[in-house]
């Protein structure tokens, strides 16, 4: 057994179909009297429903959250919270919405109650992101960690297959990298493998039958575990590459994760054999990287950088950016290796397992 340090954060999680009915009780439990509800324009209906449930506790709805938390939006939301003297923020929506809630909490003592409606996992992490002048900066701060998270799988029923699939692969990516994290620990390893199992079995059903509530519950259970592991341990080359591609080439977040994941996994294949075995077993596949690729194909998600808008002539710059600052990865980072990884991801080819080259696995 490896030595480890695990600083477990305190968070209250309520999980279950219909748990949105407990929103007012959960807000009341925090002693809050004046609640600001934040969301995106597209998820406004969720916020209006939350306001109805909160009754007089709901002071206002701020429905201007946007992808990557533009600083102007964060400032406007902070101003609104201060002007209205609110004492709690309910963030109901996907990662963009929860990111805005975090941006408010970063500069005020407001507790966040997060109600996620995608599988991104932000609600379980102390990581925040803010975009200023076209540059997204991220940081870690315990103040932004939602104090209460309410998972109601019924709220994900409207998530269309083309968003559900990549969003679930985004969650899977957190679990994959947690298994070879530098600061991995036994509890997080258990959560990550269980997260992969839950997502791998549920996502194909979710995209085929979007209104299957059992599969939706299973997927959100996997997403909860994925968010937990993302918040607990450090990520490596996969997340670094996705951050670079999303930030510098404006590629869609969940789709980038989907495309890069099999190739980042193949990149680390020989350097993290224990993690590879756990991933492959959890996927029920002979090879981790190929299993992830096959899952993406099966759920009809994008498999190449080309199809999600990456310019071919940007691959060199992306490889340079991703190899500039040294960071932990089980396999040492080198330009040639990362450039090849990006080339493979651009083409969308199925990763080869050299140990089994010539066979069909
Ligand atoms: P998102 O919130 O922008 O949602 C993606 C899309 O799904 C949007 O079009 C949204 O309108 C739609 N949507 C959301 N819920 C829906 C529902 N129930 N029904 C129908 N449509 C719905 O993005 P996301 O993929 O949830 O999250 C990605 C963002 O979150 C990125 O900015 C990423 O950096 C951030 N993120 C942060 C962390 C963290 O720990 N800080 C973790 C994961 C993701």
């Amino acid at each position: 057994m490896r030595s480890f340090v695990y600083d477990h954060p305190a968070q209250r999680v309520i999980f279950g179909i219909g748990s949105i009915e407990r929103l007012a009780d959960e807000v009341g439990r925090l002693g809050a009297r004046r609640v600001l509800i934040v969301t995106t324009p597209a998820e406004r209906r969720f916020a209006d429903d939350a306001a109805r449930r909160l009754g007089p506790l709901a002071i206002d709805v701020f429905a201007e959250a946007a992808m990557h938390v533009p600083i102007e939006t964060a400032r406007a939301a902070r101003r609104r919270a201060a002007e209205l003297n609110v004492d709690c923020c309910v963030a109901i929506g996907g990662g963009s919405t929860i990111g805005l809630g975090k941006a408010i909490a970063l500069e005020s003592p407001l507790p966040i109650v997060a109600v996620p409606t995608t599988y991104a996992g932000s609600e379980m992490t102390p990581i925040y992101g803010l975009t200023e002048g076209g540059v997204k900066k991220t940081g870690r701060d315990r103040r932004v960690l939602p104090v209460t998270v309410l998972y109601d799988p019924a709220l994900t029923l409207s998530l269309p297959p083309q968003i559900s699939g990549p969003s679930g692969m985004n969650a899977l990516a957190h679990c994959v990298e947690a298994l070879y994290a530098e600061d991995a620990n036994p509890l997080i390893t258990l959560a990550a493998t269980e997260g992969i199992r839950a997502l791998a079995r549920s996502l194909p059903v979710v995209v085929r039958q979007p209104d299957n509530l059992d599969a939706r519950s299973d997927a959100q259970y996997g997403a909860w575990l994925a968010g937990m592991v993302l918040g607990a341990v450090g990520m490596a080359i996969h997340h670094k590459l996705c951050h670079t591609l999303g930030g510098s080439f404006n590629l869609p977040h969940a789709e980038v994760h989907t495309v890069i994941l099999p190739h980042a996994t193949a990149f680390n294949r020989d350097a993290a054999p224990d993690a590879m075995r756990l991933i492959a077993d959890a996927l029920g596949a002979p090879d981790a990287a190929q299993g992830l690729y096959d899952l993406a194909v099966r759920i009809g998600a994008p498999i190449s950088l080309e199809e999600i808008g990456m310019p071919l002539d940007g691959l060199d710059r992306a490889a340079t950016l991703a190899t500039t600052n040294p960071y932990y990865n089980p396999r040492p980072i080198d330009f040639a290796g990362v450039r090849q990884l990006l080339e493979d991801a651009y083409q969308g080819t199925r990763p080869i397992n050299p140990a089994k080259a010539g066979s069909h696995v």
Side-chain angles (χ1 to χ4, degrees):
M1 172 69 65
R2 266 173 54 181
S3 309
F4 62 87
V5 173
Y6 180 33
D7 187 3
H8 188 76
Q11 244 183 330
R12 180 173 162 87
V13 174
I14 295 101
F15 188 101
I17 297 161
S19 60
I20 190 69
E21 284 164 23
R22 293 174 58 176
L23 181 63
D25 287 349
E26 289 302 324
V27 165
R29 216 173 161 270
L30 299 172
R33 290 272 166 272
R34 298 178 63 78
V35 179
L36 177 66
I37 303 166
V38 299
T39 193
T40 55
E43 273 67 62
R44 171 94 207 198
R45 67 192 182 288
F46 290 130
D48 289 340
D49 176 68
R52 191 183 53 73
R53 291 175 188 282
L54 290 174
L57 295 180
I59 299 302
D60 201 4
V61 171
F62 184 89
E64 292 165 39
M67 195 76 164
H68 302 310
V69 197
I71 188 74
E72 300 76 19
T73 313
R75 287 188 182 128
R78 287 168 182 161
R79 257 197 318 274
R80 184 81 65 89
E83 281 161 12
L84 296 173
N85 195 24
V86 299
D87 56 9
C88 177
C89 171
V90 169
I92 183 162
S96 300
T97 291
I98 293 170
L100 179 62
K102 287 175 164 182
I104 299 173
L106 189 61
E107 293 203 350
S108 72
L110 284 187
I112 304 293
V113 175
V115 188
T117 63
T118 68
Y119 306 131
S122 177
E123 64 282 354
M124 292 302 296
T125 83
I127 306 164
Y128 63 89
L130 283 165
T131 303
E132 185 163 15
V135 180
K136 184 170 180 178
K137 293 203 178 113
T138 57
R140 264 181 188 266
D141 194 314
R142 280 274 169 109
R143 282 179 301 175
V144 308
L145 186 73
V147 293
T148 305
V149 182
L150 228 142
Y151 286 104
D152 187 339
L155 303 188
T156 63
L157 287 174
S158 54
L159 206 56
Q162 67 275 19
I163 298 180
S164 301
S167 186
M169 294 299 289
N170 183 188
L172 261 173
H174 310 330
C175 298
V176 166
E177 291 228 294
L179 289 173
Y180 51 67
E182 191 175 23
D183 51 353
N185 71 64
L187 182 66
I188 290 303
T189 297
L190 283 172
T193 42
E194 173 67 356
I196 295 173
R197 256 194 303 274
L199 288 159
R201 71 179 171 235
S202 60
L203 292 179
V205 186
V206 159
V207 298
R208 241 186 4 257
Q209 302 165 19
D211 55 357
N212 183 322
L213 209 40
D214 284 341
R216 289 290 190 181
S217 296
D218 217 11
Q220 211 173 26
Y221 165 62
W224 164 56
L225 293 167
M228 184 200 295
V229 304
L230 173 67
V233 296
M235 297 285 116
I237 187 163
H238 170 82
H239 281 74
K240 170 79 178 180
L241 270 176
C242 292
H243 190 85
T244 302
L245 292 167
S248 304
F249 298 92
N250 204 23
L251 302 186
H253 179 83
E255 286 77 2
V256 174
H257 275 274
T258 308
V259 172
I260 293 293
L261 186 60
H263 304 285
T265 307
F267 181 86
N268 282 325
R269 182 185 277 127
D270 295 338
D274 293 346
M276 295 299 141
R277 191 178 36 75
L278 290 172
I279 298 163
D281 286 354
L283 290 169
D287 176 78
Q290 292 177 339
L292 291 165
Y293 181 91
D294 294 344
L295 179 62
V297 171
R298 211 169 143 212
I299 63 174
I303 50 164
S304 74
L305 286 179
E306 184 180 16
E307 69 188 287
I308 61 169
M310 178 71 190
L312 180 59
D313 63 6
L315 296 184
D316 281 338
R317 187 158 75 91
T320 304
L321 288 170
T323 51
T324 303
N325 297 318
Y327 52 93
Y328 173 77
N329 189 64
R331 170 177 156 185
I333 305 293
D334 64 301
F335 179 86
V338 171
R339 180 65 177 75
Q340 185 61 51
L341 185 170
L342 286 169
E343 181 72 39
D344 295 343
Y346 183 83
Q347 304 292 347
T349 49
R350 187 171 187 257
I352 294 164
N353 183 345
K356 299 196 172 134
S359 79
H360 289 291
V361 290

